[in-house]
């Protein structure tokens, strides 16, 4: 646990332990802070707990019956595992993009404003505005602006994933979590999504889980390496990939295991 | 030798026999279904075709007029015998007769033979001799008869109108009687203004009713004055009141166009007409109406109930031993014989709930039951209970088949469980839910046993919907096509004569199920297109 980054941490993880049902421990006390308006990548071999950690940040793990969390995660200073946390509110502030793109079986337009609609928003003007803004931010506007009312299911895989990004952006979150967003995409679509991620860095804090170290190197400012539920090394991406401090990290990024 | 064995081994390994086996079983299933449908179609569609009438001369000198039904070998197989419909039940006692082919001396198809469809005693086959109009008798031909019938028909129509008025009047009188019962039950004294007003109203109605009856008797007598004389095959005379003749036609002199027109008119009557002759003739409208209404009301109960139950089981209930037991129980509910549901419906709905309703709301009418007897509502509820497992199972499966990412995607945007359910899960599950509804409707349409003890009748005096307040009378008994088949096929005094109607009714029932499910399937396909992934 080297180099705790101090520039404006928006999310602070303190001694986080996570247990799957049956007391199977997946995270063994993680301390980590995510800086604001930065891209942070979580890397590590399969089963190292990087997705679990990510899903703790918007309490997506609550959907699993019988799991348990110890420790503390603060978002802008507030503990999200506190007694009075409004999960709905939390998830509006921490959006998420999934490994498999999951547009709803609705029109492109309705997909983007879904988050606004369920929040009770009814202003048509705001809808139009947000749809344009979010789709532009996700670099999808030019491709779909003439068929906003068509089903989102007719889009290509890469377009679907960018639509999911637009959908997450539309509710104006502080943080966007991305769980291997490119693993189901071809290289060309991957490149476009990565482009999008880089563009979004100015407005949002992005935390991305990835399998692909080149991708982490390309898009992220900071990188955290996890192994068997422990945080092994955390630092600036440039430093971590060029001069890893820990042997395990070096072994992993040089391809000796994982 | 060894190469043959090798080839055989290879043949088995590839699985060729399995392909043949599965193909054959599918073929057998299809074939049986097609044969069944074909039998129904052939027998059902031919019923209304005006087939020719033959006049036969037999070896013993007797003459027979009849319609050929079928011919088959005699018991010893040496000769052929034919079955004829000879009608004239009032003269001969039987509608049908077997005639050995070698008994027939001559056979012709005279153009002047008539078929009379009568209000009573079934058809009459014979020739027209004379007409007796306004007291004068004269010889006549078919056009004269038709003209006379048209005149009589206006009178009959007047009578029908009168009958309708009588029905309304008796309905009002019944309402008054029930009102009076209520007053008496509550102990309102006879000299109370309310009671007085009631008896005044009743007196007026009684007078009106008597007046109507008088008119009816007079008009009826007048309408029955005109008669026509017919002769049967052997020249026996039969006088028939014109008002009793429902329809007359000469099948042997009809061209193809006439026959088609006749056939279409008959088909139309089937759909919109009232049944006659203890249901063996006439239309099936009340039965069609009852069937459709039953299915509709059944869906109204079973659909929401099943879907909501499935939502609880799949989305809200904690997975565990209890849920698993409930699920097994629901799956096995489908295996309970439907008559058991009927008995339950009778005990629980009719005697239990129905009787309670009666004693709370209509105590003055007891012991005459209002809701405490079989009726459309109870039959629908019983069927709803019977079909709800189908809806539950298919809804659960449809909800379970939705990928986890969909739920997560919705939750991740800050939606609640309920919002996810309503906005994402239910629309996506709708094709599957529709499938369940289709299956449930088809099952309900074919069910007869539970209905027989929860409210279906041979002949319902009134439809469950009419112009009298409150318009929907779900407490009423109703007619049903499935029960109709059973009734006329097995409970009719003249089974042979009713046979064509059995086929027609079956065909109609199949058609109704087909129609309702094709509407539902169209709806489902529309939903499928909207809510599922075309390409990935």
């Amino acid at each position: 646990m080297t180099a705790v980054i101090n520039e404006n941490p928006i999310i602070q993880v303190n001694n986080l332990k996570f247990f799957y049902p049956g007391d199977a421990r997946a995270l063994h006390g993680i301390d980590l802070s995510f800086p604001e308006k930065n891209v942070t990548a979580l890397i590590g071999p399969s089963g190292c707990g990087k997705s679990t950690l990510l899903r703790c940040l918007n309490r997506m793990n609550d959907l699993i019956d019988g799991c348990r969390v110890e420790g503390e995660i603060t978002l802008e200073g507030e503990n999200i595992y506190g007694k009075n946390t409004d999960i709905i509110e939390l998830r509006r502030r921490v959006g998420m993009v999934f490994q498999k793109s999951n547009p709803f079986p609705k029109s492109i337009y309705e997909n983007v404003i879904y988050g606004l609609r369920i929040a009770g928003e009814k202003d048509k003007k705001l809808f139009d505005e947000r749809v344009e803004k979010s789709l532009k931010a996700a670099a999808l506007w030019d491709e779909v602006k003439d068929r906003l009312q068509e089903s989102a299911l007719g889009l290509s895989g890469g377009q679907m994933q960018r639509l999911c990004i637009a959908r997450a952006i539309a509710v104006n979150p502080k943080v966007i979590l991305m769980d291997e967003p490119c693993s189901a995409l071809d290289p060309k679509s991957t490149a476009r999504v990565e482009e999008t991620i880089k563009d979004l860095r100015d407005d949002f804090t992005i935390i991305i889980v990835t399998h692909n170290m080149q991708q982490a190197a390309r898009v992220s400012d900071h990188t955290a390496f996890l192994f068997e539920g422990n945080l092994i090394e955390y630092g600036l991406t440039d430093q971590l990939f060029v001069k890893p401090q820990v042997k395990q990290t070096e072994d992993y990024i040089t391809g000796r295991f994982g | 030798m060894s190469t043959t064995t090798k080839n055989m081994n290879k043949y088995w390994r590839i699985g060729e026999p399995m392909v043949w086996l599965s193909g054959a079983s599918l073929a057998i299933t299809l074939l049986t279904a097609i044969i069944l449908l074909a039998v129904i179609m052939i027998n059902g569609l031919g019923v209304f075709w005006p087939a020719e009438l033959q006049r036969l001369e037999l070896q013993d000198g007797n003459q027979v007029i009849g319609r050929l039904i079928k011919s088959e070998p005699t018991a010893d197989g040496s000769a052929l015998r034919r079955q004829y419909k000879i009608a004239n039940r009032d003269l001969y006692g039987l509608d049908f007769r077997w005639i050995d082919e070698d008994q027939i001396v001559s056979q012709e198809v005279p153009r002047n033979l008539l078929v009379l469809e009568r209000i009573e005693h079934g058809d009459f086959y014979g020739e027209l001799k004379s007409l007796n109009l306004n007291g004068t008798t004269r010889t006549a031909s078919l056009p004269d008869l038709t003209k006379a019938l048209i005149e009589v028909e206006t009178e009959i129509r007047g009578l029908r109108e009168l009958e309708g008025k009588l029905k309304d009047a008796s309905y009002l009188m019944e309402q008054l009687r029930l009102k009076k019962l209520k007053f008496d039950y509550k102990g309102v004294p006879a000299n109370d203004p309310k009671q007085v007003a009631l008896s005044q109203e009743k007196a007026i109605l009684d007078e009106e009713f008597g007046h109507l009856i008088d008119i009816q008797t007079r008009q009826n007598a007048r309408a029955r004055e005109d008669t026509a004389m017919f002769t049967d095959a052997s020249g026996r005379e039969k006088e028939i009141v014109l008002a009793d003749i429902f329809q007359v036609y000469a099948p042997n002199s009809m061209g193809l166009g006439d026959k088609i027109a006749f056939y279409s008119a008959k088909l139309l009557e089937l759909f919109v007409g009232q049944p006659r002759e203890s249901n063996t003739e006439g239309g099936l409208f009340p039965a069609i109406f009852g069937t459709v209404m039953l299915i509709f009301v059944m869906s109204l109960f079973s659909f929401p109930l099943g879907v909501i139950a499935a939502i609880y089981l799949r989305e809200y209930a904690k997975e565990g031993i209890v849920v698993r037991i409930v699920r097994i129980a629901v799956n096995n509910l489908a295996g309970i014989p439907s008559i058991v549901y009927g008995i339950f419906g009778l005990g629980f709905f009719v005697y239990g709930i129905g009787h309670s309703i009666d004693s709370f709301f209509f105590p003055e009418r007891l012991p005459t039951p209002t809701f405490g007897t079989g009726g459309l509502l109870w039959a629908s509820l019983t069927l709803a209970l019977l079909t709800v497992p189908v809806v539950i199972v298919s809804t659960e499966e449809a909800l379970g088949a939705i990928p986890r990412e969909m739920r997560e995607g919705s939750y991740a945007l800050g939606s609640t469980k309920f919002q996810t359910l309503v906005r994402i899960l239910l629309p996506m599950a709708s094709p599957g839910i529709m499938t369940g509804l289709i299956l449930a409707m088809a099952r309900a349409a074919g069910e007869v046993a539970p209905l027989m003890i929860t409210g279906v009748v041979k002949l319902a005096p009134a439809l469950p919907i009419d112009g009298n307040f409150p318009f929907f009378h779900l407490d009423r008994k109703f007619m049903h096509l499935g029960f109709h088949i059973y009734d006329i096929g097995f409970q009719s005094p003249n089974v042979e004569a009713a046979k064509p109607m059995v086929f027609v009714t079956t065909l109609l029932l199949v058609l109704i199920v087909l129609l309702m499910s094709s509407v539902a399937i169209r709806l489902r396909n529309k939903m499928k297109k909207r809510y599922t992934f075309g390409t990935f």
Side-chain angles (χ1 to χ4, degrees):
Chain A
M1 277 144 294
T2 51
V4 174
I5 290 136
N6 286 321
E7 40 176 289
N8 289 330
I10 184 164
I11 294 182
Q12 187 93 41
V13 179
N14 297 326
N15 193 22
L16 183 75
K17 291 178 185 142
F18 185 83
F19 304 86
Y20 277 112
D23 263 8
R25 189 142 78 157
L27 297 175
H28 304 262
I30 304 270
D31 289 294
L32 194 59
S33 62
F34 296 99
E36 198 174 4
K37 295 192 177 160
N38 257 300
V39 179
T40 308
L42 302 177
I43 60 169
S46 299
C48 70
K50 55 192 190 301
S51 279
T52 306
L53 173 60
L54 191 77
R55 283 165 166 263
C56 282
L57 300 179
N58 67 345
R59 293 190 62 174
M60 216 53 184
N61 285 329
D62 288 16
L63 297 177
I64 305 164
D65 274 337
C67 68
R68 196 154 54 85
V69 179
E70 278 173 21
E72 193 187 58
I73 298 176
T74 59
L75 172 66
E76 292 180 316
E78 267 174 69
N79 184 6
I80 63 167
Y81 280 94
K83 277 213 169 66
N84 302 322
T85 313
D86 180 355
I87 298 184
I88 305 297
E89 188 53 42
L90 167 71
R91 288 183 186 151
R92 270 185 207 132
R93 284 158 70 196
V94 184
M96 188 163 187
V97 176
F98 295 83
Q99 180 171 7
K100 203 170 154 195
S101 61
N102 54 355
F104 303 129
K106 297 170 181 286
S107 67
I108 295 170
Y109 188 91
E110 282 297 324
N111 259 286
V112 178
I113 62 170
Y114 182 83
L116 296 170
R117 262 199 204 284
I118 55 173
E121 189 60 63
K122 289 202 171 64
D123 185 2
K124 279 222 122 219
K125 238 188 181 154
L126 180 82
F127 286 163
D128 290 340
E129 203 179 283
R130 282 288 175 84
V131 166
E132 187 172 344
K133 203 177 130 213
S134 318
L135 286 174
K136 274 182 176 160
L140 192 59
W141 175 252
D142 291 333
E143 290 160 63
V144 301
K145 64 171 183 253
D146 300 323
R147 48 177 179 142
L148 291 175
Q149 295 307 329
E150 280 172 38
S151 173
L153 306 183
L155 296 174
S156 73
Q159 287 174 324
M160 280 191 192
Q161 196 59 297
R162 275 179 282 145
L163 177 65
C164 291
I165 294 174
R167 190 172 70 183
I169 295 170
V171 287
N172 256 340
K174 298 273 178 206
V175 182
I176 301 174
L177 310 175
M178 297 187 175
D179 191 356
E180 302 193 30
C182 301
S183 66
L185 301 181
D186 60 86
K188 210 173 146 197
S189 303
T190 302
R192 297 220 53 177
V193 172
E194 282 179 11
E195 253 344 279
T196 311
I197 293 171
K198 280 185 198 157
D199 292 344
L200 292 175
R201 151 178 23 208
D202 300 335
D203 299 312
F204 304 96
T205 307
I206 294 173
I207 303 168
I208 179 170
V209 162
T210 179
H211 234 95
N212 179 333
M213 278 170 287
Q214 286 77 23
Q215 184 173 60
R218 280 195 300 266
V219 300
S220 67
D221 304 310
H222 298 88
T223 299
F225 171 60
L226 279 85
F227 183 66
E228 290 183 343
N230 290 306
L231 180 65
I232 305 299
E233 185 167 353
Y234 182 36
L236 287 170
T237 302
D238 296 338
Q239 283 177 14
L240 189 127
F241 276 97
V242 177
K243 236 176 99 193
Q245 309 281 316
V246 185
K247 176 100 182 15
Q248 269 170 314
T249 316
E250 197 183 340
D251 288 348
Y252 181 69
I253 58 179
T254 51
R256 239 165 269 166
F257 81 99
Chain B
M1 178 69 185
S2 74
T3 47
T4 329
T5 335
K6 230 180 196 168
N7 280 341
M8 272 313 280
N9 279 343
K10 197 177 160 199
Y11 181 75
W12 281 100
R13 225 180 19 249
I14 289 174
E16 189 95 337
M18 196 58 211
V19 177
W20 279 100
L21 191 71
S22 49
S25 51
L26 175 69
I28 291 171
T29 321
L30 273 183
L31 204 66
T32 343
I34 289 170
I35 289 174
L36 177 70
L37 271 182
V39 167
I40 296 170
M41 294 267 272
I42 290 165
N43 284 289
L45 287 175
V47 172
F48 299 121
W49 189 253
E52 59 170 32
L53 277 184
Q54 296 176 353
R55 179 192 275 279
L56 306 176
E57 199 179 329
L58 304 183
Q59 261 176 358
D60 55 11
N62 282 337
Q63 303 249 355
V64 176
I65 295 175
R67 170 189 287 183
L68 181 64
I69 302 294
K70 62 183 170 191
S71 68
E72 60 178 39
T74 48
D76 56 9
S78 60
L80 283 173
R81 61 174 195 161
R82 296 180 186 172
Q83 191 188 28
Y84 278 94
K85 182 177 180 185
I86 54 172
N88 307 8
R89 200 182 303 156
D90 42 345
L91 293 180
Y92 310 145
L94 284 171
D95 285 290
F96 292 86
R97 181 170 170 186
W98 285 100
I99 297 171
D100 288 340
E101 216 160 63
D102 48 14
Q103 290 278 310
I104 300 170
V105 178
S106 73
Q107 171 185 332
E108 48 178 344
V109 188
R111 295 175 64 85
N112 64 341
L113 290 183
L114 297 182
V115 177
L116 306 184
E117 283 177 15
R118 298 181 293 178
I119 308 287
E120 276 179 300
H121 306 306
D123 291 355
F124 181 91
Y125 295 166
E127 288 165 29
L128 176 65
K129 203 177 159 211
S130 61
L131 269 175
N132 182 2
L133 299 177
N134 308 319
T136 54
T137 310
R138 60 188 174 89
T139 53
S141 59
L142 183 58
D144 300 325
L145 179 62
T146 321
K147 216 174 109 192
L149 278 176
I150 290 169
E151 270 164 36
V152 171
E153 197 172 322
T154 45
E155 279 175 44
I156 292 175
R157 210 172 292 138
L159 269 169
R160 293 262 177 286
E161 261 170 47
L162 214 56
E163 255 169 42
K165 275 185 198 161
L166 274 169
K167 228 177 178 174
D168 291 345
S170 62
Y171 180 80
L172 284 178
M173 282 167 82
E174 174 67 11
Q175 296 301 311
L176 280 184
R177 191 184 69 82
L178 293 176
K179 226 175 187 176
K180 179 151 175 50
L181 268 177
K182 203 165 192 172
F183 284 156
D184 290 347
Y185 181 80
K186 281 186 182 160
V188 181
N191 55 6
D192 188 280
K194 275 196 221 159
Q195 285 269 34
V196 175
L198 201 67
S199 34
Q200 276 171 355
E201 214 176 316
K202 185 168 158 38
I204 297 170
L205 255 178
D206 273 342
E207 197 185 327
E208 202 184 304
F209 197 76
H211 182 62
L212 282 174
I213 291 272
D214 280 348
I215 301 176
Q216 195 200 21
T217 322
R218 244 179 298 138
Q219 283 198 6
N220 210 4
R222 165 72 198 82
R224 297 192 69 82
E225 269 172 19
D226 295 335
T227 61
M229 190 69 85
F230 295 89
T231 53
D232 79 341
S234 51
R236 218 156 115 198
E237 290 187 341
K238 170 79 186 169
E239 190 173 17
I240 297 172
V241 178
L242 289 190
D244 283 345
I245 299 175
F246 186 76
Q247 191 173 20
V248 58
Y249 60 97
N252 296 349
S253 57
M254 282 164 100
L256 185 65
D258 293 336
K259 284 191 176 182
I260 290 172
F262 179 86
Y263 185 83
S264 324
K266 276 289 190 191
L267 222 52
L268 185 69
E269 192 206 333
L270 185 73
F271 287 107
V272 300
Q274 297 289 330
R276 286 182 287 125
E277 282 267 346
S278 63
N279 295 352
T280 58
E281 272 172 49
L284 288 170
F285 179 68
I288 297 172
F289 193 84
T291 309
V292 173
M293 183 102 182
L294 177 77
I295 298 175
F296 192 71
V297 178
M298 181 279 301
S299 314
L300 230 55
F301 287 115
S302 101
F303 188 50
L305 196 71
V307 171
I308 292 171
I311 287 172
Y312 183 79
L313 271 182
R314 174 65 65 177
E315 300 296 325
Y316 290 106
K318 251 206 166 82
E319 207 57 44
I321 188 92
V322 179
V323 167
R324 229 174 304 149
I325 288 172
V326 169
R327 202 165 280 149
I328 290 170
V330 166
N331 281 322
N332 282 304
L333 274 181
I336 294 176
S338 54
I339 189 73
V340 175
Y341 280 100
I343 297 165
F344 176 78
L346 182 71
F348 182 70
F349 292 127
V350 179
Y351 294 156
I353 298 179
H355 188 79
S356 311
I357 292 177
D358 277 0
S359 39
F360 275 117
F361 297 102
F362 310 106
E364 71 280 3
R365 299 188 196 174
L366 286 172
T368 316
T370 312
F371 277 95
T373 175
L376 184 64
L377 178 66
W378 304 138
S380 305
L381 279 172
T382 308
L383 280 192
L385 215 60
L386 182 104
T387 53
V388 99
V390 182
V391 181
I392 292 181
V393 169
S394 52
T395 306
E396 259 214 275
E397 265 166 26
L399 284 173
I402 297 171
R404 210 190 58 199
E405 294 89 47
M406 283 295 151
R407 293 158 208 264
E408 287 185 342
S410 177
Y411 292 140
L413 286 163
S415 79
T416 61
K417 197 157 193 169
F418 181 71
Q419 284 171 325
T420 306
L421 188 69
V422 172
R423 287 169 186 267
I424 307 290
L425 300 184
L426 282 184
M428 286 191 77
S430 56
I433 298 174
M434 282 303 286
T435 307
L437 188 66
I438 294 165
L439 290 175
M441 284 198 325
R443 168 117 204 244
E447 233 16 285
V448 178
L451 304 180
M452 285 163 73
I453 46 179
T454 52
V456 88
V457 283
K458 186 183 169 71
L459 194 67
L463 291 175
I465 297 182
D466 66 13
N468 293 318
F469 186 78
F471 311 117
F472 288 88
H473 306 276
L474 296 183
D475 56 319
R476 280 188 187 162
K477 300 204 184 292
F478 62 102
M479 291 170 74
H480 184 266
L481 286 171
F483 180 71
H484 206 82
I485 295 168
Y486 168 73
D487 178 58
I488 57 179
F490 299 96
Q491 304 289 298
S492 146
N494 193 348
V495 171
E496 193 72 27
K499 214 162 87 182
M501 210 57 179
V502 174
F503 284 111
V504 172
T505 314
T506 313
L507 189 62
L508 212 59
L509 185 56
V510 172
L511 280 181
I512 285 182
V513 174
L514 201 71
L515 193 78
M516 291 183 96
S517 31
S518 52
V519 168
I521 287 170
R522 272 188 79 105
L523 213 67
R524 181 183 63 184
N525 289 347
K526 241 184 178 167
M527 290 171 173
K528 233 186 211 160
K529 237 192 215 150
R530 256 184 89 176
Y531 297 122
T532 48
F533 295 82
T535 47
F536 223 113

